[in-house]
Amino acid sequence: MSDAKKLFIKTYGCQMNVYDSERMAEAMSAEGYTLTDVAEDADMVLLNTCHIREKASEKLFSDLGRLRPLKDARPDLKIGVAGCVAQAEGAEIQRRMPLVDIVVGPQAYHRLPALARASGPQVDTEFPAEDKFDHLPERKALRGPTAFLTVQEGCDKFCAFCVVPYTRGAEVSRPVERILRETRDLVSRGVREITLLGQNVNGYHGEGPDGVWSLGRLIRALAEVDGLERIRYTTSHPNDMDDDLIAAHGDVPQLMPYLHLPVQSGSDRILRAMNRKHGRDDYFRVIDRIRKARPDILFSSDFIVGFPGETDADFADTLDLVRRVGFGQSYSFKYSARPGTPAAEKAPVAPAVADERLQILQALILEQQRAGQEAMVGREVTVLYEKPGRQPGQMVGKSDHLHAVHVNDAGGRVGELARVRVLASAANSLSAVRIS
Ligand code: 5AD
Ligand code: SF4
């Protein structure tokens, strides 16, 4: 038996949290911890939380309740809470749940190893002066041929419903050189696709060798990295789609034809109340410009229904926007009041009305998603194999358009880019056969 300690991490919420969890796992591996999928086997359990919608923080507290018997049986089991709920609720979490040993915010998690070594309850929700990325060990490429890479954090937009500007703080962009170094490191470990992450990623303005670089410029530099076949980025704000970034969609072949560009609502009145600083026509215009640069691009969006003051007419405008744009996929949420945000002061829409709108919107989104998948049947597409499928001789990966694809390919290898022909569309994936 080795004396390796085991770490169990549960990640809630967005891809930025997935990235943060990987980095925390890497930081703890320098302390002798290896990852386990089984909480019961762990020496340390880390819950990396999300605060963006109500259910996420409710879930944290019920998960902590479920950990109590484990902690009672093994008092030296360390329990940590990271992420945005940790940031927003800090020491309150330990007061409510004394079994929690460590509370660490998203800007301080490079200090997790020190917090885990210390005895007694630890809380660190500072926004430290040092850059956490300078204090983390090198990347390990934990997810095979695809990797997330955070290039920007925080948000200055202050949408009226959103906690991100409070929990993640002001926008900060990582310097170009560090991003290029992390990319080369990941590529040398077999990564072929990178998704650049940021709460407002297309607001990127990082220090480059010759002044401040935009996201478009960063993408062009990443496209020069030998062996990096695919680049994606998420999440973007419509107001930050500048000319160069739009042009990059037309002339950087590695930049994949899929863009998550949340609009939240199709009603000008609600967009104004949300403090989005753009109207529906601005959104149509930016979609048109991107489609001119890359005609086959697929869009996805986030929508909130039941924002305070939303009328039937506002909701009809949202449905109209969805029909006019035609999304490849979308995510829709019922508005939930987040304490401390301006919208939380306003009278809510009746829950039954919001529920009904959510169902109607989700049905339309699903219809568009199905139609988008059906349109791929019979076409040749490229798939990056991420893992073997459940059936023998099957590989699973994503197409350029981010469709999940199951491919019949007995000789397929993880990390390969294969040309395949799409045979059929199922609920959430395509099936295909290899042709080259
Ligand atoms: N209520 C419901 N949905 C929200 N989102 C952000 N804040 C809230 C809220 N208070 C949604 C937005 C955002 C996505 C990540 O979560 O649609 O784009
Ligand atoms: Fe939140 Fe996104 Fe708005 Fe920023 S742009 S406040 S992260 S919804």
Side-chain angles (χ1 to χ4, degrees):
M1 260 303 281
S2 82
D3 59 358
K5 289 173 282 187
K6 296 212 174 93
L7 171 65
F8 173 87
I9 305 186
K10 175 164 177 178
T11 306
Y12 310 67
C14 67
Q15 291 159 324
M16 301 215 38
N17 268 10
V18 175
Y19 175 87
D20 290 344
S21 289
E22 287 174 10
R23 304 293 323 246
M24 287 191 275
E26 288 160 0
M28 293 307 286
S29 91
E31 299 284 307
Y33 282 85
T34 57
L35 280 177
T36 173
D37 293 336
V38 187
E40 285 72 15
D41 292 349
D43 300 278
M44 177 168 175
V45 170
L46 187 64
L47 304 175
N48 189 14
T49 62
C50 170
H51 202 234
I52 206 146
R53 289 177 295 274
E54 217 150 43
K55 291 219 177 78
S57 57
E58 298 306 303
K59 197 125 204 324
L60 166 70
F61 286 104
S62 75
D63 283 350
L64 283 171
R66 244 175 286 136
L67 285 170
R68 189 164 298 149
L70 265 188
K71 179 80 173 178
D72 287 344
R74 287 193 287 124
D76 56 346
L77 169 69
K78 280 217 184 282
I79 298 185
V81 177
C84 290
V85 181
Q87 188 65 40
E89 299 183 21
E92 180 60 28
I93 295 172
Q94 279 176 335
R95 265 197 295 278
R96 205 170 139 183
M97 286 283 174
L99 82 173
V100 173
D101 300 287
I102 300 166
V103 174
V104 63
Q107 297 310 330
Y109 68 70
H110 55 296
R111 297 169 175 171
L112 182 62
L115 296 167
R117 263 181 258 126
S119 55
Q122 305 292 321
V123 178
D124 190 344
T125 51
E126 268 183 62
F127 284 70
E130 78 268 14
D131 180 348
K132 65 173 177 269
F133 297 116
D134 290 344
H135 297 267
L136 288 163
E138 61 181 17
R139 299 304 307 273
K140 291 227 159 99
L142 295 169
R143 291 153 42 92
T146 66
F148 291 133
L149 199 166
T150 292
V151 302
Q152 180 277 331
E153 286 189 287
C155 184
D156 299 339
K157 297 268 191 258
F158 290 92
C159 297
F161 50 81
C162 184
V163 286
V164 166
Y166 310 97
T167 55
R168 291 267 176 170
E171 283 181 23
V172 179
S173 297
R174 295 177 66 195
V176 168
E177 195 38 58
R178 310 271 169 77
I179 294 165
L180 289 173
R181 208 191 308 146
E182 196 173 320
T183 302
R184 288 189 208 105
D185 192 28
L186 285 165
V187 169
S188 76
R189 289 159 201 268
V191 166
R192 305 190 78 185
E193 170 179 317
I194 281 190
T195 302
L196 306 174
L197 299 179
Q199 261 96 26
N200 190 24
V201 71
N202 60 339
Y204 177 83
H205 50 273
E207 202 50 53
D210 53 359
V212 172
W213 283 28
S214 66
L215 187 67
R217 188 135 180 230
L218 179 66
I219 286 169
R220 290 173 195 281
L222 288 168
E224 302 290 314
V225 174
D226 235 12
L228 182 62
E229 308 283 352
R230 286 172 155 188
I231 302 170
R232 307 180 187 274
Y233 61 94
T234 195
T235 289
S236 297
H237 193 286
N239 287 357
D240 288 334
M241 292 303 302
D242 67 25
D243 293 345
D244 185 44
L245 182 56
I246 292 175
H249 279 280
D251 55 37
V252 177
Q254 294 91 334
L255 187 55
M256 290 292 102
Y258 180 98
L259 180 61
H260 185 56
L261 194 62
V263 64
Q264 313 295 353
S265 167
S267 152
D268 278 331
R269 229 175 52 80
I270 294 297
L271 288 169
R272 211 172 311 116
M274 286 177 164
N275 191 33
R276 291 285 298 178
K277 302 192 177 84
H278 63 78
R280 55 189 265 126
D281 285 342
D282 301 312
Y283 190 73
F284 292 137
R285 265 193 295 275
V286 78
I287 292 280
D288 282 348
R289 287 170 59 216
I290 302 164
R291 277 195 172 132
K292 275 213 182 74
R294 182 78 203 235
D296 69 333
I297 196 164
L298 284 188
F299 291 101
S300 65
S301 173
D302 295 335
F303 293 93
I304 294 177
V305 301
F307 186 80
E310 186 188 67
T311 63
D312 286 343
D314 294 319
F315 179 62
D317 281 348
T318 294
L319 296 176
D320 177 69
L321 179 142
V322 173
R323 288 199 190 91
R324 276 178 62 175
V325 173
F327 291 94
Q329 194 181 347
S330 276
Y331 308 88
S332 50
F333 312 103
K334 201 163 66 159
Y335 169 73
S336 75
R338 306 284 65 211
T341 59
E345 310 294 315
K346 304 214 186 126
V349 165
V353 172
D355 281 332
E356 194 192 349
R357 288 179 189 161
L358 187 65
Q359 278 185 21
I360 294 168
L361 178 57
Q362 285 185 339
L364 176 58
I365 286 170
L366 189 63
E367 189 186 307
Q368 293 195 339
Q369 182 200 318
R370 296 262 159 87
Q373 285 182 201
E374 285 295 336
M376 304 308 290
V377 175
R379 283 172 57 179
E380 284 180 21
V381 303
T382 303
V383 175
L384 175 60
Y385 289 161
E386 293 175 20
K387 56 186 184 194
R390 288 225 184 91
Q391 320 289 337
Q394 190 185 57
M395 298 299 293
V396 180
K398 299 270 168 38
S399 71
D400 292 354
H401 292 91
L402 208 60
H403 288 121
V405 190
H406 293 78
V407 185
N408 291 328
D409 180 2
R413 282 175 295 109
V414 169
E416 234 183 322
L417 276 168
R419 285 296 280 175
V420 310
R421 186 183 311 282
V422 178
L423 301 175
S425 163
N428 285 309
S429 65
L430 301 172
S431 61
V433 60
R434 175 128 191 200
I435 50 175
S436 70

